[in-house]
Amino acid sequence: MKKVTKIKAKQAPAAEKTKFRVAAYCRVSTDSDAQLESLEAQKQHYESYIACRDDWTFAGLYYDEGITGTKKDKRPELMRMIRDCETGKIDYVITKSISRFSRNTTDCLEMVRKLLDLNIPIYFEKENLNTGSMESELFLAILSSMAEGESVSISENSKWSIQKRFKNGTFKISYPPYGYDWDGDQMVVIPEQAENVRWIFDQVLAGRGTQDIAKDLNAKGICTKKGNRWTANTIRTLIVNEKYTGDVIFQKTYTDSQFNRHVNNGEKDQYALADHHEAIVSREVFAAAREVLRQHSKEKGIVKGSDKYLNRYCFSGKIICGECGDVFKRRTHYCSEYKYIVWACSTHLDDKSKCSMKFIRDDALKAAFVTMINKLIFARKLILKPYVQALRKGNNDDSLHRIQELQTLLMENSQQKERLTGFMAQGYIDQILYNEEMNTLLAQADRYNTEIEMLSKSVKGDACQIQAATTLLRFTEKSSMLDSFDDELFEETVSCVRVLSREKIAFELKCGLTLTERM
């Protein structure tokens, strides 16, 4: 009989346990001493909280001071944390509460989804909510909408108080313009700055351009109110500011329900107060300077309130720096025999130490766009057609069905409230029970409305992408290869251009695709 010998398996060495790289985010909404103490306490808490876990390693603390939570783009540290997550530096994020993370429902859900796509959960301590183990976003949507509602309530109370002070003329201007300061009771003139203001008005009346005036001020080492360099735009803003005549107009801007600030073009009441403070220039000089600016704009074909102020070219406002996130500005470079157009990062132009991204040529950018479109035309069956099919296949039939269900539930909820009110009126139930049941129904209706709004936004966004992708596919099917740049085609297809380096850019298309090209 044959003898079989068992060979024991070798014991594999124990693998070293992988530690999670955990980062924390905290924010305070004002820069008062009390709030900054709170921020310091949060920082100490998270440093010790992360350090005490054997399976965690500290990946950094991100914090914003004195910044609102209603807009994610206004918080640089939050954006830096998101970028670090995208580059694989973070595995897990913890924060105190949803309201500290974001008071805007749309922003909150967008960031949570983005991090979940990267397999990075967020843990909200106060709500004991881990997005990595959530079966539905509804709970998060409700809680974040409550945080947004709290912010709206605070904002509305503040607006009411401010408008009352507008009406009776007692509103105190918290940040006076260049040339003025606040002594605690009123605006007072700063003599040295006032001389510069009068000089600026004189130069405008002499026919000089705002760009030349800004260059002279910068050459003299004169800074703006915030200590920055002067630009043509800051000069124009100064010239049209009625406060230099001693008058003041309240509520020239307003904030909408989505926390976006707008110029008040008659949508809200305005309040004018004459002789509010000491004037720096006469009303006659002020009116004449404004007329000069108006005439210059007319000669250039620029209409106030139109996009032409900022978007005179198809690339204006659409080229984003991949290093600092600022927009690129158009510039003209001169050589001995010819000139050429370039686009340069605004931050780099102001301070090269803050951003090292150098300019890109206009003709190279246009050539890259032509190359990108020609690739789509050539490979439309391999790229665009499957992409459109995938978008349509993943269309929101389930979402639309759910919206219909929720609308039915809302109708039933309304009927229940009517019956409850009837029972109360007939004396079948007492006031206490009525209040309890009505509050339950009202909370239920709020949840239904929140989910409907969230689903509707999702459906609308996907529908726009499908339409844009379908339009682009039809264009590539009918069009021959491009041999020159097309402004209209660029406007129709590209959301923005992200400059990754002087040799590489990324076109972010309206259909949802991002395509990289070399320059």
Side-chain angles (χ1 to χ4, degrees), residues 1-7:
M1 185 176 178
K2 295 180 180 180
K3 182 179 179 181
V4 179
T5 303
K6 181 180 178 181
I7 302 173

Side-chain angles (χ1 to χ4, degrees), residues 280-399:
I280 292 178
V281 298
S282 67
R283 292 186 177 91
E284 291 75 19
V285 169
F286 177 77
R290 287 193 64 171
E291 179 59 26
V292 170
L293 286 188
R294 191 194 66 79
Q295 186 62 33
H296 285 175
S297 298
K298 185 178 179 180
E299 291 170 0
K300 294 179 180 180
I302 300 174
V303 179
K304 184 179 179 181
S306 71
D307 291 337
K308 201 170 181 182
Y309 265 120
L310 296 175
N311 301 324
R312 296 173 63 187
Y313 308 96
C314 66
F315 292 144
S316 296
K318 286 195 172 185
I319 306 178
I320 310 299
C321 179
E323 181 177 334
C324 69
D326 207 349
V327 296
F328 274 47
K329 290 182 179 180
R330 189 178 188 269
R331 290 288 183 270
T332 303
H333 282 195
Y334 294 90
C335 291
S336 56
E337 299 180 356
Y338 68 97
K339 64 180 182 179
Y340 57 95
I341 305 301
V342 302
W343 293 86
C345 173
S346 300
T347 300
H348 180 81
L349 290 174
D350 291 337
D351 188 348
K352 294 179 177 59
S353 65
K354 293 183 179 178
C355 180
S356 61
M357 186 69 71
K358 296 183 179 179
F359 69 84
I360 58 173
R361 290 185 57 140
D362 184 83
D363 52 4
L365 182 57
K366 290 178 178 177
F369 174 75
V370 171
T371 302
M372 184 268 295
I373 290 295
N374 285 338
K375 286 181 180 178
L376 286 177
I377 293 173
F378 179 78
R380 60 183 179 274
K381 292 182 180 179
L382 296 175
I383 300 175
L384 281 179
K385 200 166 185 178
Y387 180 67
V388 171
Q389 290 172 349
L391 285 177
R392 288 175 176 168
K393 185 178 180 181
N395 202 357
N396 292 279
D397 292 337
D398 293 340
S399 296

